[in-house]
Amino acid sequence: MRRVRESLLAAVQGLVVSIGTLAVSITLFVLAVVSISFILLGVGVFTTPPALAAVRLWADQRRVTAHRWAGIRIPSAYRPLPPEVRGGVVGQVERCIHLLKDPATWRDLQWLLVDMTAGFVTALLPAALLSYGVLGFVVVAGLWRVWSDWGGNWFGFVHVTDQASAAGAAALGAALIALSLVVNPALLRAHFRMCAALLSPTKASLAQRVEHLTATRHDAVDSSAAELRRIERDLHDGAQARLVAMGMSLGTIEALLEKDPAQAKALLATARESSAEALTELRDLVRGIHPPVLAERGLGDAVRALALRMPVAVEVSVELTGRAEAPLESAAYFAVSEVLTNAAKYAEAERVWIDIHHDAPSGMLRMAVTDNGRGGASLSPDGGLAGVERRLGTFDGILAVSSPPGGPTMVTMEIPCRLN
């Protein structure tokens, strides 16, 4: 019974895939090719990005289907959008060029071409085998009489003209049904393996991916070392110095307690102030490592609390349906914090807008920090924004800056993630 159930399921799933192949793959292939051809006329620059986005969405859907129905994982091979891609007409041209330079784009088009030919056949075969086998029993049940009135008909290699030949058609149908019980799941898996061969990353892209991960790992190690040095410096120059001074004051108080109680009382008040200041510095240091509100309330409330401490007016808009993993939340928080600090410190901004939301279809956490300052911000190699970009790169995140002279400045950050 299990084999029968698997065969029937493979036939139904293959039929669904084959219908989608005819309805969607052919349409998207034609639209993409026509749109790319129209680039020379100028129109294709604006139509190609959405057309290729639809192709990628369809390819991603096939990846999901392959994993759910056949247990075959097909990794995504698309290059992330570079930070220099801006909005407007110029950004549309850059986006189009980026998509056409991505080898995965052309592999997607090859996949569409194969999917609507060989892919259609391999997806339809399980349903065709099973339905044609059932037809053999329909023939022996009485359809042969209609065929005999027409002078007979062929069922496979059996020429059906009477009841005896119809019995032969039924035997062939039974053999086809038995064959479908064995090969239907394998045929469906063969279809998805063919998709994996075309949609999976190539060796060159995997090597590039390894190189990127190696670079981001080095950046993460350097950032961690720099952060550790900062914490040590803050402890040594701040709280530690105050605690040492407070210890010396307590020793002096102990010596003066009987000789000069008034002086001892004054020094005790000073020691109390030093302890309060040391406690404040320790709290600020802890907040700089991992704010308690971030751990307790999540990214949205942590950014709102950060905005309340800024010297400029900050408007925060957050749309999150859950929480990301703690390391990613921390990286996102400190990225927003540094961009916000730059806006208040260097941009001479009077107002800042922060927008944070999660796009479920693309699985992207998007954060935008906009200010009405003087503009002119850039991703210089030694600048603060370059450090933010390296920090986000550890999580495959990207950062883009739009800051014309005179403002406004808009810093957009994207990190792929899933919310719990």
Side-chain angles (χ1 to χ4, degrees):
M1 285 301 295
R2 182 178 63 85
R3 189 176 293 274
V4 173
R5 185 168 58 252
E6 290 177 352
S7 177
L8 289 173
L9 183 60
V12 173
Q13 291 172 341
L15 183 62
V16 171
V17 171
S18 62
I19 293 174
T21 295
L22 288 181
V24 182
S25 293
I26 295 177
T27 303
L28 289 178
F29 181 80
V30 172
L31 286 176
V33 171
V34 171
S35 182
I36 293 173
S37 303
F38 281 176
I39 290 178
L40 297 176
L41 301 178
V43 180
V45 172
F46 302 97
T47 59
T48 298
L52 294 181
V55 171
R56 292 187 173 191
L57 188 63
W58 178 236
D60 286 338
Q61 180 59 43
R62 188 62 59 88
R63 289 183 173 95
V64 173
T65 304
H67 179 57
R68 287 180 178 175
W69 290 358
I72 297 175
R73 292 184 176 273
I74 307 177
S76 179
Y78 305 122
R79 294 177 179 175
L81 198 65
E84 60 268 17
V85 174
R86 300 177 293 272
V89 176
V90 176
Q92 193 73 5
V93 175
E94 292 172 338
R95 185 184 298 268
C96 183
I97 293 174
H98 168 77
L99 291 173
L100 294 178
K101 285 184 177 180
D102 191 347
T105 297
W106 304 103
R107 290 176 65 84
D108 280 353
L109 294 180
Q110 293 175 10
W111 166 70
L112 287 177
L113 187 60
V114 173
D115 192 49
M116 60 190 184
T117 51
F120 170 76
V121 174
T122 54
L124 188 62
L125 266 178
L129 275 177
L130 194 60
S131 59
Y132 199 65
V134 172
L135 180 61
F137 289 93
V138 176
V139 170
V140 76
L143 184 61
W144 69 271
R145 299 180 186 278
V146 179
W147 286 0
S148 64
D149 294 340
W150 300 341
N153 204 344
W154 288 92
F155 181 82
F157 55 82
V158 178
H159 190 210
V160 180
T161 56
D162 53 19
Q163 185 67 43
S165 56
L172 178 58
L176 291 176
I177 292 175
L179 179 64
S180 70
L181 296 179
V182 177
V183 303
N184 272 6
L187 286 173
L188 188 64
R189 285 194 297 271
H191 169 84
F192 289 122
R193 286 197 181 97
M194 182 171 56
C195 294
L198 292 169
L199 294 178
S200 296
T202 60
K203 290 183 178 179
S205 62
L206 289 175
Q208 186 178 20
R209 174 67 174 163
V210 170
E211 184 179 351
H212 171 73
L213 290 175
T214 302
T216 55
R217 184 189 64 185
H218 288 318
D219 289 338
V221 172
D222 293 341
S223 298
S224 299
E227 188 69 14
L228 182 59
R229 288 193 297 270
R230 182 189 68 82
I231 294 171
E232 291 175 347
R233 184 177 62 252
D234 291 347
L235 282 173
H236 183 271
D237 298 340
Q240 179 179 333
R242 292 190 182 279
L243 290 174
V244 170
M246 187 173 63
M248 295 174 62
S249 297
L250 290 175
T252 305
I253 292 170
E254 186 179 5
L256 294 175
L257 193 59
E258 295 182 359
K259 297 179 181 179
D260 192 350
Q263 183 66 20
K265 186 176 181 181
L267 289 175
L268 191 60
T270 303
R272 186 186 300 110
E273 291 177 0
S274 296
S275 68
E277 292 174 356
L279 181 60
T280 301
E281 289 182 357
L282 286 173
R283 285 174 175 171
D284 292 339
L285 184 62
V286 170
R287 188 180 294 112
I289 298 172
H290 192 80
V293 66
L294 179 63
E296 296 171 2
R297 304 292 298 275
L299 179 62
D301 287 340
V303 171
R304 291 189 182 97
L306 176 66
L308 293 175
R309 299 195 301 269
M310 298 305 297
V312 297
V314 181
E315 183 178 333
V316 181
S317 174
V318 179
E319 293 182 10
L320 299 176
T321 57
R323 295 189 59 175
E325 295 180 356
L328 191 144
E329 268 193 341
S330 180
Y333 171 82
F334 285 110
V336 172
S337 175
E338 187 157 350
V339 173
L340 188 58
T341 302
N342 288 343
K345 191 174 182 180
Y346 302 111
E348 300 177 0
E350 298 177 354
R351 193 168 189 84
V352 181
W353 294 266
I354 301 176
D355 178 71
I356 302 175
H357 69 277
H358 184 261
D359 185 26
S362 62
M364 283 288 182
L365 175 65
R366 292 192 171 97
M367 303 172 291
V369 181
T370 308
D371 67 71
N372 61 352
R374 57 194 176 103
S378 63
L379 274 170
S380 58
D382 298 328
L385 291 179
V388 175
E389 184 182 29
R390 288 192 297 270
R391 185 183 295 119
L392 296 179
T394 308
F395 299 90
D396 287 339
I398 57 175
L399 181 146
V401 181
S402 174
S403 183
T409 296
M410 182 175 183
V411 180
T412 305
M413 297 162 280
E414 291 187 354
I415 309 176
C417 73
R418 292 183 179 179
L419 300 184
N420 298 324

